[in-house]
């Protein structure tokens, strides 16, 4: 079921820009234009907390995506609201740090 859910997330979010979902440690990491924005665990999408996600997703449930997680995240379920997705991802992208360059060996 998770692969179908991943495709659903990718389809809904790809209108906002480049979405990549990578398998990692039993779950999946979700990247928007190269920046990590959240996790898919089971059939739920968890988005990082930023000023934009805290404002736009104020009514969403806050949970830890997996046992042992240190990060409380928004559970996202507004997949039909394309305007919300665009504003949310654009805002989160601006607020999240740039990806650190890999060190040369």
């Amino acid at each position: 079921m998770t692969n179908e859910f991943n495709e659903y997330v990718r389809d809904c979010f790809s209108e906002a820009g480049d979405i990549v979902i990578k398998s990692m440690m039993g779950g999946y990491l979700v990247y928007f234009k190269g920046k990590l924005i959240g996790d898919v665990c089971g059939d739920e999408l968890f988005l990082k907390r930023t000023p934009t996600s805290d404002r736009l997703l104020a009514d969403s449930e806050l949970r830890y995506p997996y046992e042992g997680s240190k990060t409380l995240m928004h559970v996202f379920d507004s997949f039909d609201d394309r305007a919300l997705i665009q504003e949310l991802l654009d805002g989160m992208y601006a607020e999240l740090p740039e990806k650190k360059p890999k060190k040369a060996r």
Side-chain angles (χ1 to χ4, degrees), residues 10-75:
R10 186 179 293 112
D11 288 346
C12 291
F13 279 41
S14 64
E15 289 179 26
D18 181 40
I19 292 289
V20 174
I21 300 176
K22 295 182 182 178
S23 177
M24 183 70 76
M25 300 179 295
Y28 296 87
L29 301 179
V30 182
Y31 294 86
F32 177 64
K33 298 181 188 175
K35 289 186 181 182
L36 179 64
I37 61 164
D39 302 339
V40 172
C41 296
D43 286 339
E44 291 185 299
L45 174 61
F46 294 84
L47 294 178
K48 286 186 166 198
R49 295 188 68 192
T50 70
T52 295
S53 66
D54 282 347
R55 177 175 53 84
L56 294 177
L57 303 178
D59 295 335
S60 74
E61 185 178 351
L62 289 172
R63 289 205 327 249
Y64 294 96
Y66 53 88
E67 190 173 327
S69 172
K70 294 179 175 86
T71 308
L72 194 61
M73 301 172 87
H74 291 283
V75 178

